[in-house]
Amino acid sequence: MSRIRGVRDALRSNRTLRRLARNRAAVVSAAFLALLVVVAVLSPVLMPHDPGRQDLLSRLESPSGEHWLGTDSLGRDNFSRLIEGTRVTLWACLQAIALAVAIGIPTGLIAGFVGRKVDTVLSWVADILLSLPPLILALAIVGILGPGLTNAMVAVGVVFAPRFFRVARAAAYSVRNETYVEATRALGCSTSRILFRHVLPNSSGPLLVQLTFALGLVVTAEASLSFLGLGAKPPTATWGSMVRDAFNNVYDTTFPLIAPSLMIVLTILAFSALGDALRDALGRQSRVGD
Amino acid sequence: MARVLARRVLTSIPALLGVMLVALLLLELMPGDPAEIMAGENATPEAVQMIRDDLRLDDPLYERFSRYVGGVVTGDLGESPGSGIPVWDRISEALPVTLSLGGMALVLAVVVAIPAGTWAALRRDGLADRAVAAAAAVLQAVPPFVIGLGLVIFLAVERAWLPANGYVAFADDPYEWFRHLILPATALALSAAAELARQTRGAVVDVLEQDYIRAARAKGLRDRLVIGKHVAKNAATPVVTVLGLQVGRILGGAVVVELIFGMHGFGALALNAVVTRDIVLIQGVVLVSAIAVLIANLLVDLVYVYLNPRSRA
Amino acid sequence: MLEVEDLAVEMFTQDGPVRVVDEVNFTLERGETFGLVGESGSGKTVTSLAVLGMIGPPTGRVVEGSVRLDGRDLRALSPAELQQLRGKEIGMIFQEPRRSLDPAFTVGDQIAETVRAHLGLSRRDAWRKAVEMLELVGIDEPARRAKAYPHEFSGGMAQRVMLAIAVSCSPKVLIADEPTTALDVTVQAQVLDLIRELQDELGLAVLFISHDLGVIAEMCDRVAVMYAGQMVEQAPALELFLQPRHPYTAALLEAIPNAAAGDDRLAAIPGVVPPAHAWPEGCRFHPRCAHATERCGAEAPALAAAPASNGEGGRTARCLRVAELTLEGVA
């Protein structure tokens, strides 16, 4: 009998939380991510300057009392842009992940639970999507939809959906023949009710792990796409577009590259560490669908 | 062996057809009129109609699909609207650059990661093991373009030790070919190396715990032989699998790295296609990428059969 | 020929080093089969691995004692010398033969590599020798089977292959660690016969480890019983079975299911084998012993001479009450 435990159960027993808390890297990562969220939410208050205000007389300045991180190629304050970038980047990544989850999980659950033709078709689609290098697929989607942050995030969402599809499908498949599922069916529960009220909560462990790792990858994806000029369009600031702007002027000054690059790397590291810790904390149960 | 190869190729055909279908559907999924978008903002209605005729956008889907598949089989991937340059010509010109880049990146990754992973596994839980694990974790979190930027700045911009951009064909000047490739290849190699090192460490640790390794030691084989022969062949399977997966990642990473280092490779072409909204070129890029990944997986399968006699049954 | 004196081995666990083998003494003469009996966890396998010099960091270490082969102190050998000794002078076969063969290489290759490593044969000669060895251990069509992979062999056949590897360099000693435990009963007999044949042909000394008393009775000339890391009794096989001198041995003999005797209950030994970090004070068996006295819990008995039924020496037992007790053996 497969022993999948849901996050709700685990948290209820607090064992997972305690195990997580013991992992120092996880705690630091969680704190860092929480700090980012706070910054994003409070961004209008925290910015010393208007991130969009150009001052062509003070281009590419070094850090000073006025501009803590210097200015960019159009004289805008880097520190304020970094703060806004935090908000925009986090929000964009959340949207992408939400899309991936919204597409991937329901289809995965259905495919795994219902099986047969539905499963064959859906799995075939997922395999096709997974057979392409992620960035190339994202590029193709942006190519159809046109450049822009929203479109880029749609692309990222579509690219990541198959992962969640696979995990949800595996979880649903392994639970399909469980007695409690038969029991709820016998009681007259409809398929979708079974899926969402019973299957999903019990497979939330591996899904949560997958989610955490995926968030880190989505940050990379957004950064890459914005760096390529396909994501955020000026004057919107995301970390990726700030790196691109800095790169365009790399022969003049290399300083502006550091802050946004650092944010990207730290955020990815944080999600990685948290994902690892979650996987360990949820124990064997998180191995389903891996 | 040939039978396995043939079987795998056959099973990949549906997936390949699926990719072609998706590539074709890209046109359908475009919000708005594909011909208008491809013609550009200031195009005249005649130019738009010309594109529509060239691409026969008014024909039914299945006709277009079969024509497309037929074209692919004969090597004709269509022409970019407007310029009329055959897509395959542009791709085949760009491929050698990316193949060199990707090839060198893979070689670098293997040369660094496999010894590191093996070393970490042999000194399990020791300082070496933890150091390698930490390094791998950090490297995996740093996207290739950040590494590329770092390299280009420190080694090419601030100190002109290595060229900052460009590409020189191997046939023209091997030395310069290497000098121009080493930085971008390293940028791509490092995150692949991180994943590879982790997998190698895990695989070697697993194999070392097996009974047959203990038996090999008990019959007095030298450590070097035990590791170089028995551990190597048995640990190779998961490592080779990961290596195959890295091909796709490197292809994607090449897009960004080629931008940073000013190389006109497949990645740069892909980017160009998106920027100019050249759907035909995008279709070609998608198709070629899928084939590349397919070939990589096929090679992995072949090696797998060689490594695992049990699978030949 | 093989002398083990006062061997003690520590294993490194998560809670620190734990002594798992203590005060083990025995000698093995050419042409004889010496049996090491005990339940799982008694230290039999660790002892055999220690003899081969395969216990070292990070798993454990030999704390004290000596292992001598024909007078040579094996503990004083360098790792390189030990590697030369293993497989060449001492061969070993294990409990799970199919898992002890590398699935990625042919069996012929695995015999040939041993021979090449120790006897310096060329590839062609080594392969020929491999085929020879397969024939010696009774595998049909040896030339064809040498090119087969381990997964193509049944358990019994795989154990024959292991024997082929173990004796390929004509060793002096063969260590057989539970060689038939994982095999079907019918196949067991064949493998045991093969071991005896090889022993006769090559003049091997065999260290036979098992928890199966029936097999021990069949194969061994002398037997030592191990419990909780120590030797608790040593005697010629026949005497051990007819008249054991240690309560644990007697209990083991009693626990053998005997349909013919008409018992309707299985006699199990009450209690469980104590783990290595929690050995009882005094005699390690006393909590489970039917004949224990208070003294047994306080004083740890040494391995001392025990009365032998034929008046000669050669028997030892680790029991404070050895002189008083008369224990029942198998009839």
Side-chain angles (χ1 to χ4, degrees):
Chain A
M1 183 172 128
S2 66
R3 303 183 47 216
I4 316 171
R5 281 185 32 178
V7 174
R8 221 191 314 141
D9 284 342
L11 289 181
R12 216 180 284 146
S13 71
N14 267 333
R15 190 158 39 126
T16 314
L17 267 180
R18 252 184 276 138
R19 262 191 263 183
L20 262 178
R22 244 181 280 154
N23 186 327
R24 252 181 313 160
V27 170
V28 169
S29 305
F32 176 74
L33 292 169
L35 181 64
L36 285 183
V37 171
V38 167
V39 167
V41 167
L42 296 178
S43 60
V45 173
L46 294 169
M47 294 189 282
H49 298 271
D50 174 5
R53 196 173 86 85
Q54 303 180 10
D55 183 1
L56 296 172
L57 294 174
S58 340
R59 297 174 64 240
L60 298 174
E61 279 182 5
S62 308
S64 63
E66 172 82 16
H67 299 284
W68 293 353
L69 288 176
T71 58
D72 71 356
S73 61
L74 293 175
R76 298 179 285 210
D77 176 35
N78 279 333
F79 185 67
S80 308
R81 285 182 70 74
L82 192 68
I83 294 183
E84 173 168 1
T86 306
R87 181 180 62 82
V88 177
T89 308
L90 285 182
W91 181 232
C93 293
L94 262 169
Q95 289 174 311
I97 273 282
L99 184 66
V101 164
I103 301 177
I105 292 188
T107 48
L109 286 176
I110 294 174
F113 198 71
V114 172
R116 279 167 297 150
K117 284 241 185 75
V118 171
D119 184 16
T120 317
V121 170
L122 286 176
S123 293
W124 183 64
V125 173
D127 284 340
I128 294 177
L129 289 176
L130 282 169
S131 70
L132 287 169
L135 199 58
I136 303 270
L137 179 60
L139 280 180
I141 298 177
V142 173
I144 317 172
L145 299 175
L149 190 56
T150 322
N151 292 341
M153 290 302 104
V154 167
V156 173
V158 170
V159 166
F160 279 90
R163 273 166 222 251
F164 292 101
F165 171 84
R166 280 233 174 121
V167 176
R169 175 181 179 275
Y173 187 81
S174 67
V175 162
R176 197 157 85 164
N177 298 316
E178 292 283 341
T179 347
Y180 71 83
V181 167
E182 272 184 54
T184 44
R185 251 237 193 91
L187 289 175
C189 269
S190 71
T191 308
S192 62
R193 197 178 155 84
I194 297 176
L195 283 175
F196 284 95
R197 292 290 304 279
H198 297 281
V199 175
L200 186 57
N202 276 296
S203 49
S204 47
L207 281 174
L208 196 65
V209 173
Q210 194 60 241
L211 192 76
T212 314
F213 282 123
L215 272 166
L217 292 171
V218 166
V219 170
T220 312
E222 187 282 322
S224 306
L225 286 172
S226 293
F227 180 81
L228 290 173
L230 299 173
K233 289 237 255 308
T236 322
T238 69
W239 293 336
S241 69
M242 288 180 72
V243 175
R244 176 59 182 274
D245 186 72
F247 175 66
N248 286 336
N249 299 284
V250 75
Y251 281 101
D252 291 324
T253 165
T254 56
F255 179 77
L257 269 175
I258 299 179
S261 306
L262 198 60
M263 293 308 289
I264 296 172
V265 171
L266 287 177
T267 309
I268 299 173
L269 265 174
F271 279 120
S272 253
L274 205 55
D276 272 334
L278 256 172
R279 182 163 46 193
D280 291 338
L282 285 167
R284 214 174 354 112
Q285 297 97 331
S286 73
R287 208 77 65 194
V288 176
D290 239 332
Chain B
M1 202 75 113
R3 222 182 325 139
V4 176
L5 180 60
R7 207 180 335 143
R8 277 296 274 115
V9 171
L10 280 173
T11 47
S12 332
I13 290 184
L16 204 54
L17 282 174
V19 172
M20 284 193 251
L21 188 64
V22 166
L24 204 68
L25 282 177
L26 289 178
L27 270 175
E28 303 302 309
L29 294 171
M30 282 182 85
D33 182 10
E36 271 180 32
I37 296 176
M38 279 194 272
E41 285 184 346
N42 303 317
T44 59
E46 293 86 32
V48 174
Q49 187 56 37
M50 201 163 64
I51 291 181
R52 205 172 284 135
D53 288 338
D54 278 342
L55 295 179
R56 313 225 209 141
L57 290 179
D58 296 321
D59 283 350
L61 187 61
Y62 62 84
E63 252 188 58
R64 296 204 338 250
F65 183 64
S66 42
R67 208 178 313 127
Y68 186 63
V69 174
V72 168
V73 169
T74 57
D76 171 21
L77 292 172
E79 294 161 5
S80 299
S83 63
I85 304 177
V87 165
W88 174 243
D89 286 356
R90 294 185 73 184
I91 291 182
S92 54
E93 210 184 308
L95 269 178
V97 178
T98 309
L99 284 175
S100 305
L101 177 61
M104 191 183 287
L106 274 174
V107 167
L108 280 175
V110 165
V111 162
V112 165
I114 293 188
T118 310
W119 187 50
L122 289 174
R123 281 157 188 67
R124 186 178 175 180
D125 293 334
L127 192 59
D129 191 11
R130 275 178 294 177
V132 168
V138 170
L139 276 177
Q140 260 186 309
V142 184
F145 79 87
V146 172
I147 301 179
L149 286 174
L151 287 174
V152 108
I153 291 174
F154 286 111
L155 297 178
V157 174
E158 300 214 337
R159 306 165 188 74
W161 286 348
L162 286 166
N165 53 22
Y167 172 78
V168 174
F170 183 75
D172 294 339
D173 185 346
Y175 179 62
E176 282 301 308
W177 171 82
F178 181 80
R179 283 188 81 228
H180 280 86
L181 270 182
I182 187 70
L183 284 183
T186 306
L188 281 178
L190 283 178
S191 30
E195 176 67 22
L196 212 55
R198 267 175 161 202
Q199 283 294 325
T200 306
R201 184 233 180 239
V204 172
V205 162
D206 280 342
V207 169
L208 283 175
E209 289 178 349
Q210 296 299 315
D211 281 356
Y212 55 83
I213 297 295
R214 182 179 62 166
R217 290 218 171 106
K219 55 188 202 189
L221 296 183
R222 279 209 311 264
D223 278 345
R224 209 178 318 166
L225 186 61
V226 172
I227 296 174
K229 181 178 174 186
H230 292 279
V231 172
K233 196 170 181 189
N234 283 283
T237 305
V239 172
V240 166
T241 310
V242 169
L243 202 58
L245 290 173
Q246 294 301 319
V247 169
R249 288 251 227 103
I250 285 181
L251 205 57
V255 178
V256 181
V257 167
E258 285 174 12
L259 174 65
I260 296 177
F261 287 89
M263 300 167 75
H264 300 301
F266 186 76
L269 190 67
L271 182 59
N272 178 277
V274 174
V275 166
T276 56
R277 321 260 345 243
D278 181 345
I279 303 299
V280 186
L281 185 55
I282 293 180
Q283 287 175 334
V285 164
V286 166
L287 192 61
V288 170
S289 304
I291 294 178
V293 171
L294 195 82
I295 295 179
N297 286 336
L298 270 171
L299 288 173
V300 167
D301 280 346
L302 275 177
V303 174
Y304 182 81
V305 167
Y306 162 70
L307 290 175
N308 286 292
R310 265 178 292 203
S311 60
R312 297 180 205 166
Chain C
M1 176 160 76
L2 180 71
E3 292 157 21
V4 176
E5 228 182 280
D6 277 338
L7 191 65
V9 177
E10 238 174 36
M11 300 298 267
F12 302 141
T13 68
Q14 279 182 341
D15 305 307
V18 174
R19 191 169 279 222
V20 296
V21 167
D22 221 0
E23 286 180 56
V24 165
N25 286 276
F26 64 92
T27 56
L28 192 57
E29 297 298 337
R30 177 174 297 268
E32 96 170 318
T33 307
F34 187 89
L36 210 52
V37 192
E39 296 168 274
S40 325
S42 54
K44 330 187 285 289
T45 303
V46 173
T47 304
S48 63
L49 289 175
V51 164
L52 267 183
M54 286 186 47
I55 305 276
T59 30
R61 69 182 183 112
V62 174
V63 177
E64 58 189 44
S66 70
V67 179
R68 257 181 257 279
L69 180 67
D70 281 343
R72 270 165 84 196
D73 183 3
L74 298 189
R75 285 192 64 200
L77 295 181
S78 70
E81 291 170 317
L82 267 176
Q83 274 169 353
Q84 278 177 8
L85 180 111
R86 282 185 222 132
K88 183 161 184 222
E89 301 189 53
I90 307 182
M92 184 162 178
I93 61 175
F94 296 90
Q95 178 169 346
E96 305 258 10
R98 294 175 79 184
R99 290 225 286 259
S100 303
L101 290 168
D102 187 334
F105 295 94
T106 62
V107 302
D109 185 289
Q110 298 188 51
I111 306 176
E113 70 176 350
T114 319
V115 170
R116 275 218 312 279
H118 292 298
L119 305 179
L121 297 184
S122 73
R123 276 186 195 269
R124 206 165 358 140
D125 288 337
W127 187 265
R128 224 176 289 149
K129 177 103 186 187
V131 175
E132 257 175 58
M133 296 309 302
L134 285 177
E135 199 174 3
L136 181 69
V137 297
I139 292 191
D140 286 332
E141 298 184 82
R144 186 177 68 88
R145 295 288 268 163
K147 294 188 229 165
Y149 288 90
H151 69 269
E152 301 177 66
F153 286 77
S154 67
M157 288 294 158
Q159 196 59 291
R160 290 175 192 261
V161 172
M162 296 251 44
L163 277 166
I165 296 177
V167 304
S168 58
C169 304
S170 305
K172 302 177 184 157
V173 178
L174 173 70
I175 302 181
D177 188 356
E178 308 267 12
T180 53
T181 307
L183 304 176
D184 291 336
V185 171
T186 45
V187 176
Q188 274 186 27
Q190 294 171 4
V191 172
L192 292 176
D193 280 341
L194 180 59
I195 295 180
R196 254 196 301 253
E197 252 179 64
L198 291 171
Q199 180 178 32
D200 288 337
E201 262 192 60
L202 303 170
L204 294 170
V206 176
L207 179 62
F208 198 99
I209 302 172
S210 182
H211 66 270
D212 185 338
L213 285 164
V215 170
I216 292 275
E218 212 184 302
M219 295 293 292
C220 303
D221 304 315
R222 279 187 305 129
V223 182
V225 180
M226 283 191 76
Y227 181 80
Q230 281 173 326
M231 262 181 188
V232 297
E233 183 162 2
Q234 214 183 107
L238 196 59
E239 289 200 32
L240 187 93
F241 282 90
L242 286 178
Q243 189 169 48
R245 287 287 176 197
H246 190 282
Y248 177 59
T249 316
L252 278 180
L253 292 172
E254 210 184 339
I256 300 177
N258 191 345
D263 295 338
D264 46 18
R265 261 192 310 180
L266 289 177
I269 311 177
V272 289
V273 178
H277 55 82
W279 282 333
E281 294 286 311
C283 167
R284 290 180 191 170
F285 184 62
H286 89 262
R288 307 169 73 190
C289 181
H291 309 276
T293 65
E294 255 193 57
R295 197 174 147 225
C296 297
E299 212 181 299
L303 195 61
S309 40
N310 56 6
E312 297 174 10
R315 287 200 70 164
T316 50
R318 190 184 296 268
C319 180
L320 295 172
R321 303 191 61 197
V322 64
E324 313 156 10
L325 294 173
T326 305
L327 300 164
E328 247 185 71
V330 294

